[in-house]
Amino acid sequence: MRIRTTVTVLVLAVIAATAAILLTRPVAAPTPVSAPETSPAPLAAVRHPTEPHRPAPIPAHGSGTFTVDPSAGPLLGTAGRLRRFHIAVETTVADGLPDFTRIVDETLGDRRSWIGDNQHRFQRVPANAAADFTIYLATRDTAYRLCRAGGVNIRVSGVPYTSCRRTGAVVINYDRWRLAVPDYTAAGTPLATYRAYVINHEVGHELGHGHVPCPGSGRAAPVMQTQTLGLRGCVANPWPDKDGH
């Protein structure tokens, strides 16, 4: 019994000594954790990666059929001869009838356009009303056929490249509508500027205006200059001047 008691006392003494050492040993501080600079977004707000936006492809071949805007537009201009027109978009193109109609109306209704000299007025009329001419938006091959039927060849290096005017029709090439031309894009000129130019240029032919050259390097290109084929040193300009150039 005395031996067991001695062993027990020794064990208790060792435990007590160990506890005393642990209590007096310094304890390292916990490593701080950096808080995020901003609170994490709620799960519902986390957006998964998506494919980058890709513009709709530009078809070279179209259906050859057109949708004519069924609505009537506002009277554009305050004085001069009134010319009524239809808007027709090939069913194959992606932009759609409403956008093309809006841009044509805005362009021809701008006081910088042909109505500015008070000699011309325009009005879009529905499909069932008589019109003096039609403004078409057509894929390049369809544009070629429409223009060629009026005796106009729009090919450049074998590709239907430009737009045209033939009797009773202004034909806008969808390639140019979507891509503009190198001289415009190289200068950072907005696509909307080219679109205004090509509408005013081809409608200018409908009004009886012919082509004119660049008047000099650094000057504004006349709207009846063939800007699609090069600015020739002139600066892009989509609007007619007071003399119809």
Side-chain angles (χ1 to χ4, degrees):
M1 286 294 294
R2 184 174 296 176
I3 294 173
R4 288 183 181 178
T5 301
T6 302
V7 172
T8 301
V9 170
L10 289 173
V11 170
L12 290 174
V14 171
I15 292 173
T18 303
I21 293 171
L22 291 174
L23 288 172
T24 57
R25 181 181 295 172
V27 179
T31 302
V33 178
S34 299
E37 294 182 2
T38 58
S39 300
L43 184 59
V46 176
R47 303 180 67 179
H48 297 286
T50 57
E51 287 294 320
H53 173 71
R54 293 186 176 90
I58 303 175
H61 311 283
S63 61
T65 59
F66 290 81
T67 301
V68 179
D69 195 304
S71 63
L75 181 63
L76 309 175
T78 57
R81 177 182 167 184
L82 175 62
R83 289 176 171 84
R84 297 177 173 87
F85 64 93
H86 289 147
I87 292 284
V89 172
E90 192 170 7
T91 56
T92 314
V93 306
D95 293 58
L97 189 59
D99 282 346
F100 185 62
T101 296
R102 175 183 56 80
I103 294 170
V104 171
D105 282 354
E106 289 175 355
T107 300
L108 295 181
D110 194 300
R111 293 299 302 178
R112 294 170 294 178
S113 187
W114 296 106
I115 65 171
D117 61 5
N118 292 323
Q119 296 182 26
H120 307 287
R121 291 179 298 156
F122 301 97
Q123 187 170 32
R124 173 171 46 83
V125 294
N128 59 358
D132 297 290
F133 65 101
T134 299
I135 302 178
Y136 294 92
L137 180 61
T139 56
R140 71 187 191 201
D141 286 349
T142 301
Y144 173 77
R145 291 194 297 271
L146 289 174
C147 294
R148 197 62 178 160
V152 183
N153 186 355
I154 64 170
R155 285 183 172 175
V156 174
S157 299
V159 176
Y161 187 79
T162 68
S163 302
C164 83
R165 178 262 174 184
R166 50 170 265 200
T167 303
V170 165
V171 182
I172 307 298
N173 186 326
Y174 188 50
D175 277 13
R176 304 282 66 76
W177 187 256
R178 285 280 301 276
L179 301 174
V181 290
D183 277 11
Y184 268 66
T185 56
T189 306
L191 178 60
T193 302
Y194 180 81
R195 288 176 171 180
Y197 156 74
V198 76
I199 291 168
N200 281 320
H201 180 90
E202 301 304 344
V203 170
H205 284 313
E206 179 65 23
L207 300 178
H209 296 285
H211 289 148
V212 297
C214 170
S217 181
R219 297 180 62 182
V223 77
M224 294 314 299
Q225 178 182 333
T226 55
Q227 296 181 42
T228 295
L229 298 177
L231 290 171
R232 307 288 192 270
C234 273
V235 178
N237 166 50
W239 306 110
D241 64 23
K242 63 182 180 181
D243 298 319
H245 296 157

